[in-house]
Amino acid sequence: MDFVIKGDIVYSRSPRELAVTENGWLVCANGCSQGVFTELPEQWKGLQVIDHSGKLVIPGLCDLHLHAPQYAFRGLHMDEQLLDWLQKYAFVEEGKFSDAAYARRAYGIFADQMRRSATTRAAIFATVHREATEILMDEMERSGLISVVGKVNMDRDAPAYLVEESAQRSAEETRAWLDCVAGKYSRTGPIITPRFIPSCTEALLSALGALVRDRGLPVQSHLSENPGEVELVCSLVPESKFYGDAYDRHHLFGSHGGAIMAHCVYSSEEEIELMRSRGVFVAHCPSSNINICSGIAPVRKYLDLGLRVGLGSDVAGGESESLFKEMRCAIAASKMYWKYVDGTAAPLTFPEVFWMATVSGGAFFGRVGSFEPGYAADIVVLDDAREPYPQKLDVAARLERCVYLSADKTAIVDKFVQGDRIAL
Amino acid sequence: MDFVIKGDIVYSRSPRELAVTENGWLVCANGCSQGVFTELPEQWKGLQVIDHSGKLVIPGLCDLHLHAPQYAFRGLHMDEQLLDWLQKYAFVEEGKFSDAAYARRAYGIFADQMRRSATTRAAIFATVHREATEILMDEMERSGLISVVGKVNMDRDAPAYLVEESAQRSAEETRAWLDCVAGKYSRTGPIITPRFIPSCTEALLSALGALVRDRGLPVQSHLSENPGEVELVCSLVPESKFYGDAYDRHHLFGSHGGAIMAHCVYSSEEEIELMRSRGVFVAHCPSSNINICSGIAPVRKYLDLGLRVGLGSDVAGGESESLFKEMRCAIAASKMYWKYVDGTAAPLTFPEVFWMATVSGGAFFGRVGSFEPGYAADIVVLDDAREPYPQKLDVAARLERCVYLSADKTAIVDKFVQGDRIAL
């Protein structure tokens, strides 16, 4: 469907600048933006006009990191740090996904809530279970969002009910899963997903690296999230120069296909430099980093160095799928970082976190997260009058306000992914 | 109206313990709780039963600190610290309340949103304007909430359009306001409100102290919020031993009538000891303290010392009136405090912040914030099924989840203040 949306249109022109067109026209054809105009150009006057006058029209948001099975316990169990939290809560919940009926129920809820959110693209962890992972992919496909989903690999350091019996078996399952989903979906693809170094033997990482090289697949994992975890990785892989090197030795760090590394709170200078040179995407997950007491990532430094940074809700370390909440939290976390860690690291601004949630993170998916011509027509429309105010506000202020008030829970009135309308 | 509510009932028994009654009966007569029962006692069987089976029934929340005029710019202007933020944003907006028509529109929105929130009691700052303050009191009375509202006093260090012309004139206006609202409302009362020390001359503080003594009124103000502010107070009142002493010298620090002091991020040991001995309520406002980069208050220490601590949304330093959001933020802030400031200060727990938002802060208003017999029947009912989940959760977990997911924006289905039902 080709169409034109009329409304108050905002997207990110750069980390520092919002492109705002009040009462503008956003033209969408062949699933892509044809640009934003103050007057509708003659050539597009035949298209259907969707009138969202007075409403905010923004690019759909990109969630670079979340765990679908953990959605069931979002907003709970924030009383432990990472390694204990995994053993006590996350692994226990993930174990339930050996049951396809439970997976269908839980993933049905998850995909339904993602459909209603401001997110249009996501990189998602499933569990080790092949059948449940396929169920998740079926549900995500049905949601209309575009996503990559990973069957998780873990062959050590997890409870017996969750750990895979060997590196070989884990790799075989992964290959079987890849074969099974190949060509099955139009919006949903696979991504290689070693959970993190503590869960994966060298043999497993090596087998996954071979898959990445052979099939040109992207990778997602965790990196330098928590001090205890970083120490554990050092002791598990003493031959690695740093945490990220333990992935890189097996071609799992952006050398073949794209890579998303979540967290990067404690990355060393060498690790940061390798991320930069390899174009690794940092999934910044401030809610999660605070909830499970990991710390605050040095995002100002990453932006200054030109790293690719997006946002991740990291459900269920993060309490919800809302990326509006995550933008607000990224600003808040950066203020505490400035206050208590590094007084030279200027707090993040609203335009910067909006850029991270849209076009910066969106680059993982291609030309996504902007309304410049040629970008995917991923669109979210917000009726911000649902949070009333007594005075006139300009368009940029209205958007900032929506983000601070988490209006993505209450004010989304229309949504498109690559030009396809999502039933809300 | 006397009645019984059937549902899953939770209140705070102590800072560490939730009192949970699944499928219980909460009996309300003469505006007060008569207790929570697992079986409805014979003597109450004639009362109307309001069936909220399967829903969460909790005490209404108490907001110890917010600025009604700033509600208009909630979620905006988070790019400055306190003193500049006041001059650039807060004072400019407050200046508009010299216009009664604007005040009526803005306060109408404010009171309407408060009515729909989980808050049942509030201590509210208005502006210096007498007429607008009365409009706010009219609106709050109509909302059904119980509140204290303060005409703000400030006779120095503010723009000409906002500052009162003299201490004497400020005090006269305050007396005239008090006379005018005396006996006018059943749910809304006055509270003496010197903005903060930098805005008030000694002469004004002295006159307000006399009013407090003569009329037995409570006081609300700000205390030790921001390093620059604390330094300014030192230079403005060099004869004070510490910031709080500048209030105390004029009987504005809990020596006569109750007192609420917002923030207390940088209170000295002497100041803390005086707050403790005087029973001053600390309004902990973590969202605001982070948004405008003030810092994180040492709440664990205040709890250990037995200070009276409640929560304040501090709209619009805080971005919204949601006290669920404030509870979540209090936990998050305490984790960063533990991580980056004091590794011996254990992070706050969910039962502790729920206690602060209910019975601890509620004590400012009397027997409020609990369902123990004799406490006011301030009740909020939440339909937490609106945030679906696939597994069985116990009642306490369901409440924690609601708080983390800010379900006060979407899931409130019934609300009572002192036994009176609020039209939602």
Side-chain angles (χ1 to χ4, degrees), chain A residues 100-138:
Chain A
Y102 184 76
R104 212 162 278 120
R105 192 159 77 245
Y107 285 151
I109 291 172
F110 169 75
D112 196 51
Q113 298 290 102
M114 291 299 286
R115 178 174 59 77
R116 298 161 192 255
S117 76
T119 301
T120 50
R121 310 264 170 161
I124 306 173
F125 278 56
T127 62
V128 294
H129 312 96
R130 180 148 72 91
E131 186 181 5
T133 303
E134 287 173 37
I135 290 168
L136 174 57
M137 293 178 84
D138 293 346

Side-chain angles (χ1 to χ4, degrees), chain A residues 25 33 35 45 54 58 62 80 123-124 140 145 151 161 174 197 213 221 283 285 291 297 362 382 389 421:
Chain A
W25 307 81
S33 169
K45 285 201 169 154
I58 63 171
C62 301
E80 295 285 355
I124 306 173
M140 285 309 299
L145 271 64
K151 178 207 142 354
Y161 58 79
T174 304
I197 296 295
R213 272 175 306 160
S221 196
C285 308
N291 282 332
L382 298 158
Y389 49 97
R421 196 171 212 160

Side-chain angles (χ1 to χ4, degrees), chain A residues 72 74-76 78 81 105 266 291 294 296 319 328 335 338-340 387-388 390-391 397 405 409, chain B residues 72 74-76 78 81 105 266 291 294 296 319 328 335 338-340 387-388 390-391 397 404-405 409:
Chain A
R74 68 195 187 283
L76 291 173
M78 304 302 198
Q81 289 193 64
R105 192 159 77 245
Y266 297 99
N291 282 332
S294 299
I296 303 173
E319 69 265 21
R328 191 177 71 229
K335 288 174 175 170
W338 167 81
K339 180 97 193 163
Y340 292 118
E387 289 283 356
Q391 79 284 52
L405 299 180
K409 294 298 284 184
Chain B
R74 68 195 186 283
L76 290 173
M78 306 302 200
Q81 289 193 63
R105 192 159 77 244
Y266 297 99
N291 282 332
S294 299
I296 302 172
E319 69 266 20
R328 190 178 71 229
K335 287 175 176 170
W338 166 83
K339 181 96 193 165
Y340 291 118
E387 289 282 356
Q391 78 285 51
Y404 269 99
L405 300 180
K409 295 297 284 182

Side-chain angles (χ1 to χ4, degrees), chain B residues 286-338:
Chain B
S287 297
S288 167
N289 296 158
I290 292 173
N291 282 332
I292 55 175
C293 282
S294 299
I296 302 172
V299 179
R300 169 61 61 209
K301 182 199 280 186
Y302 297 160
L303 297 185
D304 287 349
L305 291 170
L307 266 67
R308 308 173 95 165
V309 183
L311 291 180
S313 67
D314 194 24
V315 165
E319 69 266 20
S320 88
E321 73 282 11
S322 164
L323 287 178
F324 277 17
K325 171 219 66 179
E326 209 62 38
M327 284 192 243
R328 190 178 71 229
C329 187
I331 296 173
S334 74
K335 287 175 176 170
M336 289 304 93
Y337 191 85
W338 166 83

Side-chain angles (χ1 to χ4, degrees), chain B residues 87-102:
Chain B
Q87 299 285 346
K88 270 177 80 168
Y89 305 119
F91 289 165
V92 175
E93 179 64 28
E94 292 191 16
K96 297 182 189 168
F97 289 77
S98 60
D99 172 357
Y102 184 76

